[in-house]
Amino acid sequence: MHTCGEPTRIVTKGYPKLQGTLLEQRRQAKEQYDDLRRRLMLEPRGHADMYGAILIQETELVSSNEADIGVLFCHCEGYSQMCGHGTIALGRFLVDTDDLAIFPRRRHLRFNAADRTVSLNLHAPCGLVRVIIPTISDGSKADGSRPVSFISVPSFATALGRSLPIKEKDAWLALSKKGPPHAVTIDIAYGGAFYALVSVEELGLQDGLQDLDLDTMKKIAMVIKQTVIETYPDLCQHQSLSPDQCGLYSVIITDKRNSRPSQETVGAELGLCLFADGQIDRSPTGSGVTARVAAAYGAGERKTTDRWTYHSLVSHANNGSGAFIASIAKEVTVTTAAGNTTPAVTVSVEGLAFYLGKSSFISERQDPLRHGFLL
């Protein structure tokens, strides 16, 4: 499936059964079965920007009836805490499937006949994500013409307007004859994963996210990412989260000048998300949108009633088709074990996902490239 051009390869059968909590299962997947991730994500079966979702039928939240199914998100570098575009795709797929081996709790989903939607609780590594899927009149299949939405885990900013020193020069020299600034101003926010947010103005991009040299932008984003990791590791974690849920995932370059609002929204932003080791998200990045809403809320720039349009390079180039719409669902408080509190919000994000096809992959022992590769 794809969401605004960003793929989600959904693994439905053939993956080994994992044990323990969802985070323990992810650890087991990393330690014992990472060759399967590589085979599914990398060339020749995948590519550098492939994304995947491994369905997990049994987790601790499924056992307690809080969740309907679990998922492990993966990509070419490894595994992620949350994936908004993948959640939107999964919402549609899980309503459409009638295979109880793939989704044992399919018949337990809650159908609202009044607005023709089904509610699904997804257990992601970041926590419980509530997904609302529009359906046909009897609730048996998803209505692909209407957007799927999800309500995020509690999200918050850990740094606003923080100065980040820049030492690496090579990437900036390709962008500007003047070389890099001594520092750029960034925000860091959590939306199911941690994101560093930097504006085009801070990078000296006078034309915004227009006619970009993407290879150069990748280099700059990776410089920023590594500098954040080295300079502000404490801002990419929170006491309410386990160590497995912390760490900087992505850099998003934001452009508030070159975008158009969708209908019934009060503003718009364009963004370029570079995650993992420089993968470019074709979609507006669901958990990144959540982090951006949380940062805007923390800065006092977003009302709880505001609906905002978030564009990626793909939706921007296609007259807004594929943009995500986001709004604050609820103001909440995150409380740590020590009793400390952090103001936060849950965020509603909506978008459309579409089917691409079905594949069965094989791996021959004598194939020297069976484990995958990247150029």
Side-chain angles (χ1 to χ4, degrees):
M1 299 185 73
H2 83 91
T3 311
C4 191
E6 182 69 6
T8 303
R9 178 167 284 170
I10 303 170
V11 181
T12 60
K13 294 181 180 179
Y15 197 85
K17 185 175 176 59
L18 304 173
Q19 304 294 327
T21 67
L22 185 63
L23 291 180
E24 289 169 347
Q25 291 185 62
R26 187 175 67 170
R27 206 171 301 129
Q28 185 183 11
K30 287 180 182 180
E31 295 171 356
Q32 298 180 26
Y33 303 113
D34 200 51
D35 61 312
L36 295 179
R37 176 194 62 80
R38 290 179 55 85
R39 294 181 199 190
L40 290 167
M41 296 293 104
L42 307 186
E43 296 182 57
R45 300 171 188 85
H47 53 78
D49 296 300
M50 180 54 71
Y51 211 98
I54 303 165
L55 293 176
I56 305 295
Q57 285 75 21
E58 297 178 17
T59 77
E60 68 275 25
L61 295 188
V62 173
S63 297
S64 65
N65 294 318
E66 295 173 77
D68 297 299
I69 195 167
V71 64
L72 297 179
F73 293 117
C74 61
H75 45 75
C76 285
E77 187 189 50
Y79 302 81
S80 54
Q81 311 297 337
M82 173 56 187
C83 174
H85 88 269
T87 295
I88 290 168
L90 280 175
R92 186 175 176 194
F93 170 79
L94 289 169
V95 167
D96 284 343
T97 187
D98 54 8
D99 188 335
L100 297 185
I102 294 174
F103 188 13
R105 293 176 60 93
R106 169 62 184 90
R107 295 172 185 168
H108 296 265
L109 297 184
R110 298 148 295 280
F111 174 54
N112 185 326
D115 58 10
R116 292 183 295 128
T117 61
V118 162
S119 298
L120 182 154
N121 291 339
L122 181 69
H123 186 186
C126 65
L128 192 65
V129 180
R130 304 185 187 279
V131 191
I132 300 93
I133 306 99
T135 68
I136 62 176
S137 59
D138 64 357
S140 62
K141 298 291 181 183
D143 177 359
S145 67
R146 294 190 289 154
V148 173
S149 62
F150 68 85
I151 306 295
S152 74
V153 295
S155 303
F156 47 86
T158 57
L160 296 171
R162 187 64 62 101
S163 180
L164 182 72
I166 298 296
K167 298 177 182 177
E168 173 63 50
K169 295 182 179 180
D170 292 345
W172 257 274
L173 289 174
L175 183 70
S176 169
K177 301 292 185 183
K178 299 178 181 178
H182 294 296
V184 295
T185 300
I186 63 167
D187 298 333
I188 301 175
Y190 176 78
F194 282 95
Y195 289 84
L197 312 175
V198 59
S199 71
V200 291
E201 289 84 1
E202 287 296 316
L203 300 184
L205 296 171
Q206 300 303 321
D207 296 326
L209 293 176
Q210 308 279 353
D211 300 320
L212 293 174
D213 178 342
L214 291 178
D215 287 337
T216 298
M217 297 311 297
K218 282 184 182 182
K219 293 176 183 177
I220 289 174
M222 292 304 98
V223 168
I224 292 172
K225 182 177 181 180
Q226 188 58 39
T227 307
V228 171
I229 290 171
E230 294 172 357
T231 309
Y232 297 126
D234 56 319
L235 298 178
C236 301
Q237 57 185 313
H238 194 265
Q239 290 181 343
S240 64
L241 305 172
S242 74
D244 283 346
Q245 295 171 312
C246 297
L248 184 64
Y249 175 58
S250 169
V251 173
I252 298 180
I253 301 167
T254 62
D255 181 352
K256 299 182 180 180
R257 299 174 301 179
N258 295 304
S259 54
R260 62 183 71 87
S262 302
Q263 288 185 345
E264 299 180 0
T265 65
V266 298
E269 294 179 21
L270 175 59
L272 173 61
C273 174
L274 299 106
F275 64 94
D277 60 353
Q279 291 177 239
I280 294 176
D281 197 337
R282 275 70 173 161
S283 83
T285 313
S287 54
V289 164
T290 300
R292 290 158 71 183
V293 172
Y297 171 80
E301 298 171 356
R302 191 64 48 86
K303 299 176 182 177
T304 56
T305 55
D306 288 347
R307 282 171 54 82
W308 216 263
T309 301
Y310 288 88
H311 289 289
S312 67
L313 295 183
V314 174
S315 68
H316 180 69
N318 286 275
N319 298 314
S321 178
F324 289 176
I325 308 298
S327 58
I328 294 171
K330 189 177 181 181
E331 295 176 291
V332 296
T333 299
V334 175
T335 303
T336 69
N340 300 319
T341 60
T342 301
V345 290
T346 57
V347 179
S348 172
V349 180
E350 61 184 57
L352 294 164
F354 299 95
Y355 288 98
L356 294 173
K358 233 183 225 188
S359 300
S360 294
F361 294 111
I362 62 173
S363 179
E364 296 185 288
R365 290 182 184 274
Q366 64 268 35
D367 181 359
L369 299 178
R370 66 186 181 277
H371 296 300
F373 67 92
L374 288 177
L375 290 179

